[in-house]
Amino acid sequence: MALEGRTLNFNVGVLGHIDSGKTSLAKALSTTASTAAFDKNPQSKERGITLDLGFSSFSVPIPEHLAGTGYQRLQFTLVDCPGHASLIRTIIGGAQIIDLMMLVIDVTKGMQTQSAECLVIGQIACNKMVVVLNKIDLLAENKRQAAIDKMTKKMQKTLENTKFHGSPIISVAAKPGGPEAPESVTGLGVSDLIELLMSHTYLPQRDPQGPFLMAVDHCFSIKGQGTVMTGTILSGSISLNDNVEIPALKVTKKVKSMQMFHKPVSQAVQGDRLGICVTQFDPKLLERGLVCTPESLHTIHAAIISVNKIPYYKGSLQTKAKFHITVSHETVMAKVTFFSLPPASFNEELPANVFDFGKEYLYQDGYISKDSKNSEQNKVDNHQGEEAIPKQQWALLEFEKPVTCPKLCLVIGSKLDTDIHSNTCRLAFHGVLIEGVEDKNYSESFLPNLKVYKLKHKEGQVERVNDDYCIIGRSLFKKETNIQLFVGLKVKLSTGEDGVIEGSFGQSGKFKIRIPNGLQPETKKMLTASSKKRLKGKGDADPAKEEEVRQDNQPILITLWFKRYMFDPQKKMIQS
């Protein structure tokens, strides 16, 4: 389903640290500037920093390896992503349509914090990369090649353990002489870069199926025509006269006309850059945002996501902690609760993009990874004393304010309040949104269906024998505990017998345990012996001596295990 003029659109994400020269590079590469391209934003002009996803393009004849595909021309759309980190969401927002990533590095500085973050995002959202060492004009000519070779080796080493190992590295000077140089100055190595980009193009997988979703990055009116929204199609396809919704404003409009880089078209699909014209809509209402098939996006208050820790993140991921969650084009704070399958099923793999509410899940104090100091419960559960790592982990996100997003979208959790100048990766985890919850009262309507349990473990001691089938226990409960709640729960003695809690005994937190199969003679003997010793010493009633007697005869321990479902309003205790 190629478009009029048979032009293949190929999206190249230009990412890199602030001031690495990304915009000048995009400018040097481009011939046709699309509307939002090259720092149109006035605030951006002053700072010389790209403030939004700028878009620009240039087209070339279709390269030989794509000759049989039916396309005549290849259009590179350069998505110039901001390098400064406060706008990390802009990069993530544009990530799903980037076919190739161009990581721009200032050759005089090498990898910097934000270049590392761009690399992390690239690994999550993209499969191919080209590294551009920019600003080579700043290197003295007699030492230039040696410096380039050194930096190339350094970059190869950095990429070694990523999915981009072996990516091509090329050196250029996008704007020799820097920002002050006249516009007429031509760059060094730019045509080689175009050749390199051409050789790395492929036929991207474009899926016209599913609801239409477009990220709008610019909105303006044209007299006598209407309002034009330009952006990139993230999913689905669109045709003339289709209705589209602007979910943020709850407005639906009809598509009157469409253009791709100044040429009228009647249809467009995922990955295309597009301008859509609608009537009677004030462009001031939407500078950027999402446009979609009516009612295809949902606004959610909570979500279940699959989750993977980003290895460069140095902190631990704790349950109940708050993270900045970037989903679709929004970033909101959310409280996170981590969970996995029970340890016996750690190696089981559930289908990736659906959530199974029929299964039981184990609550985690935090995300479990090789380097996490996670709770003891895993080790206890594993009974081996060693830390096991589940194959899959999930998280419940509870948003501080609702977010609007498509199903199955990419989610990234970060700590954006970390000091921007500290040399550390602030991206903590990534995943896919599997289940979104639209109900505001989700804690009553939705959470009770989520069977995440905590394993509880209590230990007490046998005080004395009542008869062959009944003993008195202590130290399992506090004095004020309502023992009635525990009646009927099973316990195990350290000597092997199984018992059932029958009720309280006296006022001091002691309790009765029934032993259905009776005490073993050996156990009875131990207990009777310690009781006799205790009675013998009763005359002087010295508590220290009594303790000595107990130490002498190792006490018989009572162990109580039960599960409690985190979101069960009744807080029931359950034993399997």
Side-chain angles (χ1 to χ4, degrees):
M1 198 181 82
L3 296 151
E4 291 91 333
R6 309 292 287 165
T7 298
L8 171 65
N9 186 49
F10 195 80
N11 297 312
V12 178
V14 190
L15 285 87
H17 193 84
I18 187 166
D19 294 337
S20 56
K22 301 185 309 302
T23 307
S24 336
L25 183 61
K27 212 167 203 171
L29 285 167
S30 282
T31 50
T32 312
S34 154
T35 34
F38 300 138
D39 292 349
K40 277 276 164 66
N41 194 309
Q43 183 193 356
S44 193
K45 261 281 196 295
E46 290 153 32
R47 288 160 48 193
I49 296 175
T50 321
L51 233 162
D52 223 320
L53 283 177
F55 283 90
S56 56
S57 75
F58 62 95
S59 75
V60 292
I62 201 90
E64 230 162 79
H65 65 278
L66 294 176
T69 55
Y71 289 99
Q72 267 99 44
R73 289 191 75 73
L74 170 65
Q75 171 178 275
F76 284 105
T77 295
L78 301 174
V79 185
D80 181 9
C81 296
H84 40 324
S86 58
L87 296 177
I88 218 153
R89 59 177 163 273
T90 319
I91 304 181
I92 296 163
Q96 63 260 58
I97 43 116
I98 292 174
D99 301 314
L100 173 81
M101 178 167 136
M102 189 154 72
L103 182 63
V104 185
I105 302 285
D106 178 337
V107 73
T108 63
K109 293 183 181 151
M111 279 294 272
Q112 293 164 275
T113 315
Q114 291 164 10
S115 10
E117 288 182 344
C118 292
L119 192 54
V120 168
I121 290 173
Q123 285 199 83
I124 295 165
C126 185
N127 288 321
K128 284 190 118 169
M129 185 170 80
V130 168
V131 178
V132 181
L133 303 177
N134 194 16
K135 305 194 179 182
I136 56 169
D137 57 306
L138 300 179
L139 302 170
E141 263 191 69
N142 55 347
K143 296 180 184 159
R144 189 173 289 174
Q145 201 48 52
I148 291 171
D149 292 346
K150 190 177 167 190
M151 189 54 77
T152 303
K153 276 208 175 68
K154 246 187 172 161
M155 285 307 300
Q156 282 164 338
K157 189 134 188 59
T158 303
L159 298 180
E160 218 168 47
N161 299 317
T162 72
K163 67 156 130 175
F164 300 125
H165 57 87
S167 292
I169 299 171
I170 187 171
S171 52
V172 304
K175 194 169 186 195
E180 307 311 312
E183 291 294 326
S184 54
V185 172
T186 49
L188 306 174
V190 176
S191 49
D192 295 341
L193 177 55
I194 292 176
E195 293 287 330
L196 180 67
L197 290 175
M198 284 173 73
S199 69
H200 278 78
T201 48
Y202 56 93
L203 219 47
Q205 287 280 269
R206 303 288 192 221
D207 184 5
Q209 300 307 310
F212 166 74
L213 178 65
M214 172 162 127
V216 172
D217 45 64
H218 212 63
C219 198
F220 55 93
S221 57
I222 295 179
K223 222 181 163 118
Q225 295 286 312
T227 296
V228 176
M229 300 182 272
T230 64
T232 302
I233 303 178
L234 302 178
S235 68
S237 59
I238 182 133
S239 303
L240 275 178
N241 300 320
D242 280 357
N243 281 332
V244 293
E245 180 190 2
I246 301 153
L249 306 169
K250 306 257 185 289
V251 170
T252 300
K253 291 280 166 202
K254 187 181 246 187
V255 177
K256 197 178 144 195
S257 66
M258 300 196 297
Q259 274 199 3
M260 276 171 65
F261 286 102
H262 316 301
K263 295 193 183 105
V265 293
S266 57
Q267 215 170 19
V269 296
Q270 181 188 43
D272 284 333
R273 274 294 292 158
L274 182 69
I276 290 177
C277 186
V278 298
T279 52
Q280 286 151 2
F281 177 66
D282 178 0
K284 289 193 192 73
L285 295 174
L286 183 82
E287 174 54 30
R288 54 178 292 111
L290 297 169
V291 174
C292 62
T293 300
E295 296 185 351
S296 61
L297 288 190
H298 55 184
T299 297
I300 59 175
H301 295 266
I304 293 175
I305 63 163
S306 61
V307 66
N308 291 291
K309 184 175 181 194
I310 289 168
Y312 305 99
Y313 182 73
K314 293 287 181 276
S316 59
L317 305 181
Q318 294 301 324
T319 283
K320 293 203 169 66
K322 289 190 170 173
F323 285 89
H324 291 90
I325 303 295
T326 302
V327 44
S328 194
H329 280 66
E330 295 188 61
T331 298
V332 228
M333 292 297 278
K335 184 175 84 174
V336 184
T337 304
F338 294 99
F339 58 92
S340 64
L341 285 171
S345 314
F346 268 7
N347 290 325
E348 192 182 327
E349 201 153 343
L350 299 183
N353 291 339
V354 288
F355 186 76
D356 189 343
F357 285 96
K359 294 229 181 268
E360 297 211 330
Y361 299 90
L362 177 69
Y363 167 89
Q364 291 168 191
D365 293 332
Y367 182 88
I368 306 174
S369 58
K370 280 192 178 67
D371 53 3
S372 66
K373 305 277 172 283
N374 213 49
S375 68
E376 288 304 299
Q377 73 189 28
N378 263 345
K379 298 183 181 179
V380 175
D381 257 24
N382 210 22
H383 301 311
Q384 309 298 316
E386 71 208 38
E387 192 94 56
I389 295 179
K391 219 172 194 161
Q392 285 167 302
Q393 294 178 63
W394 294 268
L396 166 71
L397 304 180
E398 298 178 73
F399 298 111
E400 284 189 355
K401 55 177 217 252
V403 292
T404 299
C405 60
K407 292 182 171 64
L408 296 180
C409 58
L410 184 66
V411 178
I412 293 187
S414 28
K415 283 277 188 199
L416 296 182
D417 40 12
T418 314
D419 176 17
I420 182 167
H421 302 295
S422 70
N423 194 14
T424 130
C425 175
R426 295 159 314 148
L427 308 180
F429 60 85
H430 67 96
V432 171
L433 193 142
I434 315 174
E435 196 71 44
V437 192
E438 299 186 44
D439 187 354
K440 200 174 177 175
N441 300 319
Y442 64 88
S443 52
E444 286 145 38
S445 61
F446 170 80
L447 290 184
N449 307 325
L450 182 58
K451 292 191 279 210
V452 174
Y453 67 85
K454 256 182 173 172
L455 262 187
K456 300 279 195 176
H457 168 234
K458 287 179 172 288
E459 219 165 62
Q461 294 177 6
V462 176
E463 167 90 8
R464 61 183 174 81
V465 182
N466 210 9
D467 59 43
D468 288 2
Y469 293 92
C470 179
I471 54 173
I472 306 298
R474 62 180 172 87
S475 310
L476 193 63
F477 306 111
K478 292 192 181 89
K479 200 173 171 178
E480 62 276 12
T481 305
N482 177 4
I483 293 176
Q484 237 4 72
L485 297 173
F486 293 86
V487 168
L489 290 185
K490 299 178 192 123
V491 293
K492 199 165 190 75
L493 303 191
S494 52
T495 45
E497 291 92 337
D498 291 314
V500 178
I501 297 175
E502 272 206 323
S504 55
F505 181 79
Q507 298 302 310
S508 57
K510 291 180 183 175
F511 53 95
K512 266 188 192 166
I513 294 175
R514 188 165 49 85
I515 309 287
N517 298 326
L519 289 167
Q520 296 168 29
E522 196 53 41
T523 310
K524 217 169 132 189
K525 211 159 120 191
M526 282 165 71
L527 287 168
T528 324
S530 70
S531 299
K532 273 186 185 152
K533 272 192 187 172
R534 233 183 0 255
L535 286 172
K536 227 183 204 168
K538 265 285 189 271
D540 50 8
D542 179 354
K545 277 217 171 95
E546 197 171 319
E547 194 49 45
E548 226 172 80
V549 169
R550 271 184 205 144
Q551 291 303 321
D552 205 35
N553 301 292
Q554 273 302 307
I556 293 174
L557 301 180
I558 303 165
T559 310
L560 167 65
W561 280 99
F562 59 88
K563 288 197 299 206
R564 193 175 257 161
Y565 291 105
M566 293 278 303
F567 307 115
D568 170 16
Q570 267 95 47
K571 304 254 180 283
K572 287 194 293 285
M573 289 171 277
I574 290 165
Q575 291 180 315
S576 43

